[in-house]
């Protein structure tokens, strides 16, 4: 029976026939690996995700984490799943060999992780956040911090999380009130309530650490004064014995509509128990004072891509489940068949059901391509020959980051909506998984920077920084695809022509929006710009897939061509009105008074 998590055939097409992941083994960084290593990791990931993560996805949704006044408790299946995840080496496979990791290419590790995000978004977040912590410390921590905390996290013995914000601040990080006071060799994050800490200080693993970005003393308010603090749940004495808990403690766990099996709560650092007198959680300074925001974005940019990957994975599994249902569910007859005595047909034979399935296929396979392409860029920044190639990859990754976060979150949610629609009335019941997939995916357009914030980042920063260098690299790279597709003739050339026209509008609309340099007017329509550029980027990656599939025969490749045709004919035309709105500098939403809403 085919998996309903992801299509293994599609994953291998993207990795090997399109992105040429196997060629990475020719580079020193990945020389110890080969195609057999990658295939073994993918097979293992699919098996562990199906056997140990997927079975308790619905259980965790129904039996949410509970706070007993001291600890947060999750269902026991979470701990068991994470133990298997660590024991099999999947937890550490993407980390550098220098800290005990497998140092497998990021693009392969991302494909492996997608199986877990499809199987169980709630449980898979624990290693996701832990490795984010580990990478932050690897980049900015001291050798002692790396030895003390990174290695146990890579092994899966310790877990990590982050304090996202504070209730009164939300996404406005300049308004956080937590203060850090130096205290010997470690700062103290003093009394404050921080919101949205996805903690692993549960019965899921043994030890956890919390990353937060408190401000320095009040003489330097604002986000530019922030510092990064590393707050372990236990202190290590010089003797090697653990001292009492020092991190922030949760006044309560939150009840969530989406990813309900995930432990999320507000934490109050004033309630921490410290090894010495005084209120506040005790932590270590990471890096330099006043650079906390920069360090935060080191972690956040990885989290943004991870959120997009999760959205793509949840959309993908919903699509596969609705496809399986449509092939089995008997209802109605062909339009030309008027004889009621004739047998009913599977609903996949009805044109509108095929429309919904093809739309889903174009969204989720396009989104997974976007995620893995971005992951391949991460490998380029780490291992490409020559600084120029690495710099170009960084620029392209930088401009794609808000898109890879937001486009799957927006359009794979639409895929989940269509999956429910394919199921009809059954889709809205808990008898089928698709309603939970919709709820779980709804979160992804909100956390790690909302859809609107990503849009502001794209049009307000990425499109214009350094004279538009990032956008220029994107358009040049997509233009190379257009040229290759033109040379193939046929439908590839036709779609290349459509893409070329859309690419011209990407730069033109941005220039028009910023015509007089007024950010209020330019950014009033940032969200339509994000929608339009996201669609153009996914159309580009569909053209890339068509080029990779050129001349190949079989149902799989015909499916690729059908999904690409749908996207170019049904979805790419949406970008015209979006670009028109941006270029016109429309003031409708800018000028409307809050009083009339």
């Amino acid at each position: 029976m085919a998996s309903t998590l992801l299509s293994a055939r599609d994953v291998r097409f993207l990795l090997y026939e399109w992105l040429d992941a196997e060629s990475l083994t020719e580079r020193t960084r990945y020389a110890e690996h080969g195609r057999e290593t990658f295939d073994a990791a993918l097979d293992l990931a699919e098996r562990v995700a199906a056997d140990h993560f997927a079975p308790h996805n619905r259980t965790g949704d129904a039996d949410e984490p509970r706070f007993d006044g001291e600890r947060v408790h999750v269902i026991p299946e979470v701990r068991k799943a994470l133990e298997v995840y660590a024991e099999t080496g999947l937890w550490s496979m993407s980390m550098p060999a220098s800290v005990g990791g497998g140092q497998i290419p990021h693009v392969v590790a991302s494909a492996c992780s997608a199986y877990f995000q499809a199987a169980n978004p709630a449980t898979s977040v624990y290693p996701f956040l832990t490795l984010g912590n580990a990478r932050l410390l690897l980049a900015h921590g001291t050798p002692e911090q790396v030895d003390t905390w990174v290695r146990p996290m890579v092994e899966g013995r310790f877990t990590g999380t982050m304090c996202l914000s504070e209730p009164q601040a939300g996404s406005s990080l300049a308004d956080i009130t937590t203060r850090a006071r130096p205290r010997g060799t470690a700062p103290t994050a003093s009394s404050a309530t921080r919101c949205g800490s996805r903690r692993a200080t549960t019965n899921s693993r043994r030890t956890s650490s919390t990353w937060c970005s408190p401000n320095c003393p009040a003489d330097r308010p604002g986000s530019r004064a922030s510092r990064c603090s590393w707050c372990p749940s236990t202190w290590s004495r010089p003797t090697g014995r653990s001292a009492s808990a020092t991190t922030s403690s949760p006044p309560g766990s939150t009840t969530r509509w989406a990813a309900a099996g995930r432990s999320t709560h507000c934490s109050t650092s004033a309630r921490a128990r410290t090894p010495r007198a005084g209120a506040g959680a005790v932590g270590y300074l990471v890096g330099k004072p006043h650079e906390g925001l920069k360090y935060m974005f080191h972690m956040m940019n990885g989290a943004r891509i991870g959120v997009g990957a999760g959205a793509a994975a949840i959309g993908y599994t919903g699509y596969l489940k609705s496809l399986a249902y449509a092939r089995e569910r008997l209802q109605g007859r062909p339009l030309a068949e008027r004889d009621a005595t004739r047998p009913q047909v599977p609903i996949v034979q009805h044109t509108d059901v095929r429309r919904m399935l093809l739309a889903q296929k174009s969204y989720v396979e396009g989104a997974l391509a976007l995620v893995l392409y971005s992951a391949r860029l991460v490998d380029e920044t780490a291992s490409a020959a020559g600084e120029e190639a690495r710099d170009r990859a960084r620029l392209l990754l930088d401009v794609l980051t808000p898109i890879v976060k937001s486009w799957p979150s927006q359009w794979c949610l639409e895929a989940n909506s269509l999956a429910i629609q394919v199921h009809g009335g059954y889709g809205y019941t808990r008898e089928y998984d698709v309603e939970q997939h919709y709820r779980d995916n709804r979160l992804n357009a909100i956390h790690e920077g909302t859809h609107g914030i990503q849009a502001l980042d794209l049009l307000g920063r990425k499109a214009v920084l350094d004279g538009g260098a990032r956008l220029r690299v994107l358009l040049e790279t997509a233009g190379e695809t257009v040229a290759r597709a033109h040379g193939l003739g046929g439908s590839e050339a036709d779609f290349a022509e459509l893409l070329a026209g859309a690419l011209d509008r990407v730069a033109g609309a941005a220039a028009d929006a910023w015509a007089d340099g007024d950010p209020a007017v330019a950014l009033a329509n940032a969200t339509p710009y994000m929608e339009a550029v996201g669609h153009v980027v996914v159309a580009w990656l569909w053209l890339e897939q068509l080029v990779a599939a050129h001349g190949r025969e079989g149902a799989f490749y015909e499916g690729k061509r059908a999904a690409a045709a749908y996207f170019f004919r049904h979805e790419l035309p949406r970008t015209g009105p979006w670009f028109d709105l941006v270029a016109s500098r429309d003031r409708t939403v800018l000028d409307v008074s809050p009083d009339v809403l």
Side-chain angles (χ1 to χ4, degrees):
M1 180 179 176
S3 170
T4 54
L5 295 180
L6 302 175
S7 164
R9 180 67 185 88
D10 189 30
V11 169
R12 282 162 172 77
F13 166 79
L14 296 174
L15 289 177
Y16 302 135
E17 298 178 52
W18 174 42
L19 295 173
D20 194 18
E22 197 172 355
S23 67
L24 289 169
T25 62
E26 299 170 5
R27 301 179 183 181
T28 302
R29 182 178 180 85
Y30 307 118
E32 293 186 6
H33 297 292
R35 171 70 180 265
E36 62 280 1
T37 310
F38 300 163
D39 283 341
L42 291 166
D43 290 342
L44 178 63
E46 182 175 13
R47 186 169 65 253
V48 172
D51 293 347
H52 298 278
F53 280 67
H56 70 272
N57 189 40
R58 187 181 296 186
T59 305
D61 183 64
D63 188 0
E64 298 183 23
R66 305 180 311 279
F67 178 58
D68 65 6
E70 291 291 331
R71 294 172 63 83
V72 178
H73 297 270
V74 298
I75 58 175
E77 291 91 336
V78 174
R79 183 185 184 99
K80 295 175 183 176
L82 295 180
E83 286 173 346
V84 173
Y85 193 69
E87 290 165 359
T88 55
L90 291 165
W91 193 302
S92 61
M93 64 181 171
S94 66
M95 297 301 290
S98 59
V99 291
Q103 201 162 299
I104 201 169
H106 190 70
V107 66
V108 179
S110 296
C112 291
S113 296
Y115 280 105
F116 295 94
Q117 292 170 305
N120 195 317
T123 298
S124 65
V125 79
Y126 295 115
F128 169 69
L129 283 172
T130 299
L131 294 180
N133 276 251
R135 292 188 180 101
L136 184 144
L137 281 179
L138 273 175
H140 304 293
T142 65
E144 181 183 7
Q145 289 170 341
V146 169
D147 286 339
T148 304
W149 301 110
V150 173
R151 292 181 185 278
M153 284 193 287
V154 169
E155 294 168 6
R157 294 189 292 113
F158 290 2
T159 52
T161 185
M162 58 180 169
C163 291
L164 300 178
S165 185
E166 296 171 2
Q168 83 291 344
S171 298
S172 181
L173 298 180
D175 294 309
I176 62 175
T177 59
T178 304
R179 293 291 181 261
R181 300 187 182 93
R183 185 178 183 182
T185 58
T188 299
S190 63
S191 177
T193 297
R194 302 184 69 83
C195 174
S197 174
R198 291 192 291 272
R199 288 171 59 99
T201 50
T202 64
N203 56 320
S204 61
R205 299 297 287 169
R206 192 183 74 186
T207 304
S208 78
S209 305
T210 301
W211 172 84
C212 63
S213 185
N215 276 351
C216 290
D219 60 338
R220 293 191 62 178
S223 59
R224 294 183 183 275
S226 65
R227 67 170 74 197
C228 178
S229 294
W230 182 257
C231 302
S233 62
T234 56
W235 272 78
S236 296
R237 291 193 175 108
T239 60
R241 297 178 60 189
S242 296
S244 56
T246 63
T247 55
S248 52
S249 58
S253 185
T254 60
T255 299
R256 297 156 63 100
W257 181 58
R262 178 186 306 174
S263 172
T264 304
H265 61 258
C266 292
S267 58
T268 308
S269 59
R271 294 184 56 184
R273 299 184 298 276
T274 62
R276 297 182 295 274
V282 178
Y284 297 94
L285 174 67
V286 176
K288 300 176 181 178
H290 317 307
E291 303 239 342
L293 190 63
K294 182 177 79 172
Y295 301 157
M296 182 202 75
F297 275 102
H298 182 280
M299 188 174 182
M300 288 291 290
N301 284 335
R304 288 178 180 183
I305 296 173
V307 167
I314 298 170
Y316 210 127
T317 190
Y319 158 63
L320 292 178
K321 289 173 181 176
S322 67
L323 176 60
Y325 180 85
R327 286 173 169 166
E328 296 171 356
R329 168 67 167 156
L330 301 178
Q331 184 175 308
R333 296 162 185 83
L335 290 175
E337 180 58 72
R338 298 181 179 275
D339 185 355
T341 65
R342 300 289 295 173
Q344 296 191 91
V345 298
I347 62 173
V348 72
Q349 294 190 25
H350 299 312
T351 302
D352 196 56
V353 173
R354 292 202 301 275
R355 174 192 65 81
M356 291 187 285
L357 291 169
L358 196 55
Q360 288 183 73
K361 183 180 178 71
S362 76
Y363 299 154
V364 304
E365 292 186 11
L368 185 60
L370 173 61
V371 167
L372 294 184
Y373 184 86
S374 300
R376 185 65 163 80
L377 289 175
V378 173
D379 288 318
E380 290 299 305
T381 64
S383 66
E387 191 59 33
E388 182 178 348
R390 292 193 292 273
D391 284 343
R392 186 177 179 84
R394 289 187 192 100
L395 290 173
L396 187 51
L397 181 61
D398 204 25
V399 73
L400 286 178
T401 294
I403 298 170
V404 73
K405 192 277 177 186
S406 270
W407 196 92
S409 300
Q410 193 84 348
W411 292 94
C412 290
L413 179 69
E414 175 61 20
N416 288 131
S417 177
L418 290 171
I420 292 175
Q421 192 72 18
V422 168
H423 281 74
Y426 286 122
Y428 204 64
T429 69
R430 298 206 175 200
E431 184 178 352
Y432 292 89
D433 293 340
V434 289
E435 66 84 26
Q436 183 186 344
H437 295 324
Y438 183 91
R439 287 187 287 110
D440 287 347
N441 220 353
R442 186 60 187 87
L443 172 64
N444 287 317
I446 300 173
H447 69 158
E448 313 303 347
T450 64
H451 189 62
I453 287 174
Q454 304 302 325
L456 293 173
D457 183 39
L458 178 63
L459 183 56
R461 298 181 69 251
K462 303 300 173 59
V464 296
L465 278 177
D466 303 320
R470 291 158 182 78
L471 204 59
R472 190 159 52 249
V473 170
L474 171 61
L475 297 177
E476 289 171 357
T477 306
E480 293 168 2
T481 307
V482 168
R484 294 200 311 275
H486 265 306
L488 297 176
S491 60
E492 289 91 341
D494 294 339
F495 295 148
E497 194 67 30
L498 294 175
L499 180 59
L503 289 170
D504 287 341
R505 300 218 64 187
V506 170
D512 290 339
W514 284 100
D516 68 357
D518 184 345
V521 177
L523 299 178
N525 297 301
T527 295
Y529 185 76
M530 166 66 85
E531 301 281 8
V533 177
H535 260 52
V536 172
V537 165
V538 174
W540 159 45
L541 297 183
W542 267 117
L543 189 60
E544 278 275 323
Q545 293 182 72
L546 280 183
V547 171
H550 181 73
R552 300 175 185 266
E553 298 180 355
F556 173 80
Y557 297 106
E558 290 305 317
K560 283 291 182 186
R561 285 185 269 273
Y566 178 90
F567 200 87
F568 272 95
R569 292 168 181 158
H570 290 249
E571 294 296 330
L572 190 61
R574 295 175 185 255
T575 63
W578 285 329
F579 280 131
D580 289 344
L581 193 65
V582 175
S584 71
R585 296 161 54 80
D586 179 73
R587 298 180 60 99
T588 301
V589 295
L590 180 64
D591 291 343
V592 68
S593 169
D595 296 334
V596 306
L597 297 175

